[in-house]
């Protein structure tokens, strides 16, 4: 396998599948099977999921809600998604641990870095819920931060598109996909990969990012094996 330890970032919207809202059990089960396939090869897998399929703090703020209150609601939405993925993974025979940045002992463990690393070393899939536990930070930032803390080899950002393009491929049919791009080029071209805080964290800690289509079964395994899927950001 090409990586020993991976941080997989999934958007909340990806869990909707073809639904307009909420969680699609078929999509979550597909993700669980793909993750299991990689984890059973000995790769240590940690996961961060967004909450946009249930609640987005920024959208709520635009509607007049207090930003801090809205962001905490978004953190709770990520825990709901994390529990759904945890359930799907365990139904597929995986051992998991859900660690939350906000204490809620009845359903998950508090995030403790050394405990998270130990779970990974024991072969458990670790899911990080509730973002960073702080308002004004996105789950992209949480993914970058957790990846650095657990010393992951790479951040894999699973999306609906198969990489980073010169323009939005869903709007511009002439958009061209990058196979590889540097952090500096992403800044210069003003490409939307992650929010700036998350992206800068990865750059400063020399942590590569791969953006790929998680909705295509088998892509996660191909990346774990070292195949060139999606777009690699490094250097």
């Amino acid at each position: 396998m090409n990586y020993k330890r991976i941080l997989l970032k999934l958007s909340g919207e990806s869990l909707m599948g073809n639904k307009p809202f909420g969680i699609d059990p078929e999509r979550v089960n597909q993700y669980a099977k793909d993750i299991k396939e990689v984890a059973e090869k000995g790769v240590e897998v940690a996961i961060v999921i967004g909450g946009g399929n249930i609640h987005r703090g920024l959208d709520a703020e635009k509607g007049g809600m207090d930003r801090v209150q809205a962001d905490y609601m978004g953190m709770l939405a990520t825990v709901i998604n994390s529990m759904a993925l945890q359930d799907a993974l365990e139904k597929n025979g995986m051992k998991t641990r859900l660690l939350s940045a906000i204490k809620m002992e009845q359903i998950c463990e508090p995030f403790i870095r050394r405990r998270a690393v130990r779970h990974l070393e024991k072969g458990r899939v670790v899911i990080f819920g509730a973002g960073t536990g702080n308002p004004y930070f996105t789950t992209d930032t949480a993914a970058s931060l957790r990846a650095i803390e657990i010393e992951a080899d790479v951040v894999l950002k699973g999306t609906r598109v198969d990489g980073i393009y010169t323009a939005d491929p869903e709007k511009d049919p002439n958009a061209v996909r990058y196979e590889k791009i540097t952090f500096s080029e992403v800044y210069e071209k003003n490409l939307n990969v992650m929010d700036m805080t998350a992206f800068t964290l990865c750059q400063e800690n020399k942590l590569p990012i791969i953006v790929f289509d998680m909705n295509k079964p088998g892509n996660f395994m191909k990346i774990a094996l070292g195949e060139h899927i999606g777009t690699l950001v490094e250097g």
Side-chain angles (χ1 to χ4, degrees):
M1 307 301 285
N2 203 46
Y3 302 105
K4 180 179 183 294
R5 183 175 293 165
I6 288 171
L7 189 294
L8 174 64
K9 169 61 170 63
L10 298 172
S11 68
E13 289 91 338
S14 67
L15 300 190
M16 293 190 299
N18 296 318
K19 292 186 172 186
F21 178 82
I23 298 169
D24 179 359
E26 289 185 12
R27 177 57 53 79
V28 177
N29 191 52
Q30 178 225 311
Y31 286 171
K33 287 180 176 177
D34 283 352
I35 293 164
K36 176 184 179 180
E37 188 181 20
V38 171
E40 285 187 334
K41 293 290 186 182
V43 179
E44 297 171 6
V45 181
I47 305 164
V48 171
I49 312 176
N53 56 321
I54 299 171
H55 178 88
R56 291 182 66 86
L58 281 172
D59 291 344
E61 183 191 24
K62 289 174 185 174
M65 183 177 284
D66 176 75
R67 173 65 189 272
V68 174
Q69 189 83 339
D71 279 357
Y72 276 117
M73 289 171 67
M75 290 178 221
L76 297 180
T78 71
V79 176
I80 292 172
N81 286 337
S82 297
M83 291 174 70
L85 182 60
Q86 180 182 38
D87 179 72
L89 284 164
E90 291 182 345
K91 280 189 168 68
N92 279 277
M94 296 302 298
K95 288 186 171 14
T96 70
R97 289 294 186 274
L98 172 54
L99 277 61
S100 169
I102 298 173
K103 287 186 179 180
M104 42 187 94
E105 287 89 343
Q106 286 83 351
I107 54 176
C108 46
E109 299 177 16
F111 170 72
I112 298 170
R113 175 183 167 271
R114 289 178 182 272
R115 182 181 289 179
V117 171
R118 188 68 181 130
H119 286 320
L120 289 166
E121 290 171 346
K122 288 185 175 182
R124 297 163 183 156
V125 176
V126 174
I127 306 170
F128 298 117
T132 66
N134 303 288
Y136 295 98
F137 291 95
T138 67
T139 49
D140 277 351
T141 299
S144 300
L145 178 62
R146 296 291 181 249
I148 294 162
E149 287 180 299
I150 65 171
E151 299 181 348
D153 300 316
V154 65
V155 172
L156 302 185
K157 183 167 182 179
T159 67
R160 296 180 300 178
V161 294
D162 60 347
I164 301 169
Y165 282 76
T166 52
D168 187 341
E170 295 179 348
K171 297 177 182 176
D172 185 352
N174 298 316
V176 177
R177 181 172 65 85
Y178 296 99
E179 286 196 11
K180 188 176 180 180
I181 192 168
T182 66
F183 285 99
S184 298
E185 286 173 323
V186 170
Y187 284 122
E188 290 164 9
K189 299 176 190 296
N190 197 28
L191 300 173
N192 185 23
V193 179
M194 289 177 156
D195 73 79
M196 200 57 68
T197 304
F199 194 73
T200 303
L201 270 174
C202 289
Q203 182 184 29
E204 289 179 348
N205 289 276
K206 297 180 172 57
L207 182 64
I209 305 165
I210 298 177
V211 180
F212 74 108
D213 182 2
M214 184 69 183
N215 292 344
K216 186 174 180 181
N219 269 359
F220 188 32
M221 173 58 85
K222 288 178 181 177
I223 290 177
L225 288 168
E227 291 188 35
H228 295 292
I229 302 291
T231 302
L232 169 65
V233 185
E234 67 175 358

